[in-house]
Amino acid sequence: MEHSLNYIITALVGYLFGAIPFAVIIAKSCGVDIFKAGSGNPGATNVKRSCGKFAGNLCFLLDALKGFLAASFPYWIKYFGVSLNNPEILIYVGLASAIIGHSFSIFIKFKGGKGVAVTIGGLLFVMIIPILIGLALWVIVFYASRYVSLASIVMAVSLPVSSVFFYGNSIALYVAIAIAVIIVYRHRSNISRLLKGTENRF
């Protein structure tokens, strides 16, 4: 029962962290309804397009922080005198919950962003080498194509590939696969536009 409660607490905290709609909040402070601006996606990229570079970068950093805090929750909570069992597993529960919360936020009628920034923030705590490789690929693909969506998809797909080499057949690999699937699925409309040649370049 205690173990189950640990998972429930971590999942709930991770979801609530992820569900904070920073894109909506920041855009609203700029006088913009992010759901009606640009692509209509409540994410950092659309905030940058609709509200400017500073607002977009701030949104990205805050979204990444959500992922980092959700993943590290089982460790930093001990400073408040609380210790959770199996923190090495719970970090993945926290991260996965944050991605789900960001993508399907209870605060904005279960809408949300693509989860890229949240994933990056969480993986900087969970599996730093694969995400650094993924970020390097993101930069290369983005500056070669100017497609944020394509760069994000390539980064996502690279995660399980890198995890095989650095973590082998472990929970990290399966989490990386799940994250890749979620991110690619959330980009399905972008993939359709890329194939049609109608995707917007940044």
Side-chain angles (χ1 to χ4, degrees):
M1 177 65 71
E2 183 179 355
H3 290 309
S4 298
L5 185 60
N6 288 340
Y7 287 110
I8 292 171
I9 291 173
T10 303
L12 180 60
V13 170
Y15 177 86
L16 291 176
F17 269 134
I20 301 172
F22 283 122
V24 176
I25 295 169
I26 293 172
K28 188 175 182 180
S29 71
C30 299
V32 174
D33 182 347
I34 198 64
F35 294 107
K36 297 179 181 179
S39 65
N41 180 63
T45 300
N46 198 30
V47 171
K48 182 177 283 190
R49 283 198 184 102
S50 306
C51 303
K53 188 174 181 179
F54 175 80
N57 289 340
L58 176 62
C59 183
F60 180 89
L61 289 174
L62 290 174
D63 282 346
L65 181 62
K66 295 191 302 187
F68 185 88
L69 291 177
S72 60
F73 170 72
Y75 285 90
W76 60 257
I77 195 175
K78 68 182 180 182
Y79 293 106
F80 295 92
V82 180
S83 179
L84 299 180
N85 295 323
N86 301 319
E88 65 280 357
I89 296 177
L90 290 175
I91 57 176
Y92 296 108
V93 174
L95 174 56
S97 300
I99 295 172
I100 293 171
H102 179 79
S103 301
F104 308 98
S105 173
I106 191 173
F107 301 120
I108 49 175
K109 300 179 180 179
F110 297 100
K111 298 177 182 179
K114 304 295 176 61
V116 175
V118 177
T119 298
I120 291 172
L123 291 185
L124 284 174
F125 181 82
V126 175
M127 50 179 86
I128 189 168
I129 297 178
I131 192 57
L132 289 179
I133 293 173
L135 286 172
L137 290 172
W138 189 98
V139 170
I140 292 170
V141 173
F142 172 71
Y143 281 103
S145 68
R146 308 303 295 187
Y147 288 125
V148 173
S149 57
L150 180 60
S152 299
I153 291 168
V154 170
M155 183 198 75
V157 173
S158 76
L159 294 175
V161 177
S162 298
S163 296
V164 168
F165 289 99
F166 292 101
Y167 302 107
N169 187 16
S170 66
I171 186 173
L173 172 60
Y174 295 108
V175 169
I177 292 173
I179 289 173
V181 170
I182 291 172
I183 291 179
V184 171
Y185 175 76
R186 295 290 292 166
H187 281 84
R188 62 194 184 281
S189 60
N190 302 88
I191 294 173
S192 177
R193 290 193 294 270
L194 284 167
L195 293 174
K196 294 176 181 178
T198 58
E199 178 73 329
N200 292 324
R201 295 179 188 270
F202 196 85

